[in-house]
């Protein structure tokens, strides 16, 4: 699995299965009990050295136009489609909606799991429904957007990890210009005479490439911690002690605090523990300098979490999914 996770953690799976059709999904899951790890692009997992549960990779790779009107289009997209390939394709077709989410690594099937988001757009705003095999009900189900319980880096799929095997995601995109240019560097495009889908995509790619390490060069999983959401009152107290603290009001009397700022202020930028290192240009990103194992990454993360708690009284939550090494063999029917 070492080449199948962007943190490049050394990992051996005892069983690896590829499933290409719904019939194969049905047959496999009806014949297996216990934990199964569904793996997409491996860009949001922290893997142990050994995975005893079966690892499943889905191969559903079609993009279908399900419905089209003069103003909008509904796409049905297979779980194995590479996320950024879908974004590139939708931009080329002139479909508005996914361009801000350019260059996020991984596959379409994983995108609803943590409700991927970037540059002012979250996946939930573009999803119509998600098709999945429900291991609890033992049949395929379709969850409408409001049933997916999407929240910041969260969803029903993440909260009930292991229950749903996502095979297809349906998106509703606009055929009429509908840009979101409220976030950071994208604001500079608001008055651009050349404003286009491709320009937004190119700008996002340029900014991301500048800020985030390319996992094929420096192994990482993107942001390692969620931005903590705290009460307005707690934020005011924090701001009193640390006037430079960066926060984004969230309504409901709460504020999302920039975790990268906290980690940077705590002096962690470019700090290394074993083979795990905080990236020197973006304190929110932990990297593998070569030869790191799961515990190296988690030790550095724990050290950051405890310092942030003691300096700022703020709890940092790990964003990627940490896969625990199982002690027992899974039971097979
Ligand atoms: C450089 C970099 C930048 C990133 N930037 C962003 C960003 O801007 N915004 C953002 O939100 N994320 C970002 N990420 C995180 C990551 O790319 C996303 O979370 C992505 O959706 C993960 O996709 P994946 O296919 O690699 O998932 P994996 O890592 O393979 O899996 C992630 C989780 O989803 C589950 N899963 C995967 N596929 C399925 C399926 N078909 N059915 C059910 N469960 C499934 C897995 O079991 C696991 O729990 C970044 C990562 C990197 C390395």
């Amino acid at each position: 699995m070492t080449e199948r996770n962007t943190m490049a953690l050394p990992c051996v799976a005892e069983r690896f299965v590829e499933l290409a059709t719904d019939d194969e999904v049905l047959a496999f899951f009806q014949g297996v009990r216990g934990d199964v790890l569904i793996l997409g692009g491996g860009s949001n997992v922290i893997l142990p050295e050994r995975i005893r549960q079966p690892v499943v990779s889905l191969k559903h790779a079609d993009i279908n136009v399900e419905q089209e009107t003069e103003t909008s289009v509904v796409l049905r997209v297979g779980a194995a489609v590479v996320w950024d390939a879908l974004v590139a394709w939708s931009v080329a077709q002139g479909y508005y909606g996914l361009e801000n989410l350019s260059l996020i690594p991984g596959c379409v099937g994983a995108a609803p799991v943590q409700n991927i988001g970037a540059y002012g757009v979250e996946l939930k705003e573009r999803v119509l429904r998600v098709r999945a095999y429900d291991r609890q009900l033992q049949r395929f189900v379709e969850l409408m957007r409001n049933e997916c319980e999407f929240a910041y880096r969260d969803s029903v799929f993440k909260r009930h990890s292991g229950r749903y095997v996502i095979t297809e995601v349906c998106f509703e995109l606009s055929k009429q210009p509908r840009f979101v240019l409220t976030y950071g560097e994208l604001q500079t495009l608001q008055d651009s005479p050349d404003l286009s889908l491709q320009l937004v995509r190119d700008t996002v790619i340029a900014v991301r490439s500048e800020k985030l390490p390319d996992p094929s060069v420096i192994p990482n999983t993107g942001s390692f911690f969620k931005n903590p959401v705290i009460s307005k009152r707690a934020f005011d107290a924090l701001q009193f002690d640390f006037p430079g603290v960066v926060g984004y009001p969230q309504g409901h009397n709460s504020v999302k605090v920039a975790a990268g700022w906290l980690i940077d202020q705590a002096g962690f930028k470019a700090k290394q523990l074993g083979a795990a290192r905080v990236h020197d240009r973006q304190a929110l990103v932990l990297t593998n300098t070569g030869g790191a194992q799961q515990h190296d990454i988690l030790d550095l993360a724990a050290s950051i979490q405890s310092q942030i708690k003691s300096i700022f009284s703020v709890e940092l939550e790990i964003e990627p999914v940490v896969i625990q090494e199982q002690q027992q063999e899974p039971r097979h029917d």
Side-chain angles (χ1 to χ4, degrees):
M1 294 291 106
T2 309
E3 275 147 32
R4 290 180 181 266
N5 74 100
T6 63
M7 192 61 102
L9 295 174
C11 173
V12 174
E14 291 186 0
R15 188 171 173 212
F16 181 76
V17 185
E18 293 185 331
L19 305 174
T21 63
D22 284 2
D23 285 346
E24 287 182 15
V25 170
L26 208 59
F28 175 80
F29 281 99
Q30 288 183 344
V32 71
R33 295 261 179 277
D35 275 1
V36 172
L37 173 63
I38 316 293
L39 196 65
S43 65
N44 214 31
V45 284
I46 304 299
L47 298 182
E49 273 184 83
R50 192 158 204 95
I51 304 184
R52 295 185 199 283
Q53 66 268 43
V55 177
V56 166
S57 171
L58 296 175
K59 294 285 141 198
H60 301 63
D62 291 340
I63 302 181
N64 291 302
V65 175
E66 188 180 273
Q67 233 182 60
E68 188 165 8
T69 67
E70 276 197 6
T71 56
S72 70
V73 63
V74 174
L75 304 178
R76 199 154 32 85
V77 186
V81 172
V82 171
W83 174 260
D84 195 51
L86 171 66
V87 178
W89 180 83
S90 68
V91 164
Q93 301 300 311
Y95 301 150
Y96 296 78
L98 301 183
E99 59 283 359
N100 292 37
L101 302 175
S102 289
L103 212 63
I104 296 179
C107 299
V108 166
V113 175
Q114 75 153 4
N115 177 28
I116 57 169
Y119 295 91
V121 172
E122 285 190 21
L123 185 93
K124 68 174 184 190
E125 294 151 42
R126 310 292 182 246
V127 165
L128 195 60
R129 58 179 199 275
V130 172
R131 178 173 164 79
Y133 178 74
D134 182 338
R135 291 193 69 196
Q136 192 171 310
L137 298 180
Q138 299 190 358
R139 60 177 170 82
F140 279 93
V141 292
E142 300 224 334
L143 282 84
M144 299 308 288
R145 175 184 10 223
N146 62 336
E147 295 172 300
C148 297
E149 297 172 23
F150 287 125
Y152 167 60
R153 299 294 186 270
D154 202 14
S155 70
V156 72
F157 312 110
K158 194 163 184 177
R159 277 197 289 283
H160 297 275
S161 168
R163 175 169 175 181
Y164 296 102
V165 182
I166 298 170
T167 53
E168 259 178 14
V169 183
C170 279
F171 299 92
E172 188 169 27
L173 303 180
S174 171
K175 288 168 73 178
Q176 294 178 325
R178 200 179 61 167
F179 293 107
V180 180
L181 302 173
T182 46
Y183 195 90
E185 292 83 346
L186 293 189
Q187 289 175 18
T188 60
L189 301 182
Q190 278 170 6
D191 301 320
S192 169
D194 303 323
L195 182 59
S196 69
L197 273 171
Q198 192 61 51
L199 180 66
V200 176
R201 173 166 163 80
D202 291 346
T203 307
V204 170
I205 289 175
V207 175
R208 291 183 66 98
S209 308
E210 174 68 24
K211 285 190 181 162
L212 292 169
D214 175 354
S216 66
V217 183
I218 303 177
N220 73 89
T221 51
S223 303
F224 201 84
F225 299 100
K226 292 185 190 179
N227 290 317
V229 178
I230 61 177
S231 70
K232 170 90 173 54
R233 202 170 156 180
F235 183 77
D236 290 344
L238 191 61
Q239 202 170 34
F240 185 77
D241 292 333
F242 304 94
V245 65
V246 180
Y248 309 96
Q250 299 295 292
H252 300 305
N253 234 3
S254 58
V255 179
K256 191 191 274 177
V257 184
W261 187 90
L262 302 176
I263 300 168
D264 194 2
Q265 291 298 304
F268 274 104
K269 225 180 216 178
K271 280 271 156 52
Q272 191 162 334
L273 194 63
R277 181 183 166 92
V278 179
H279 189 52
D280 43 14
R281 272 179 291 149
Q282 170 53 275
L284 201 47
V285 176
L286 303 196
T287 66
N288 173 2
T289 61
Q293 297 183 355
Q294 186 189 59
H295 66 83
D296 294 300
I297 304 292
L298 296 182
D299 287 350
L300 177 57
S303 149
I304 293 172
Q305 285 170 311
S306 91
Q307 279 292 309
I308 298 303
K309 173 86 177 142
S310 106
I311 302 173
F312 304 106
S313 304
V314 170
E315 306 265 1
L316 285 187
E317 195 185 327
I318 292 179
E319 182 189 296
V321 181
V322 178
I323 309 297
Q324 308 291 344
E325 184 158 342
Q326 285 188 337
Q327 301 307 321
Q328 297 288 318
E329 287 279 316
R331 295 192 315 266
H332 296 278
D333 282 354

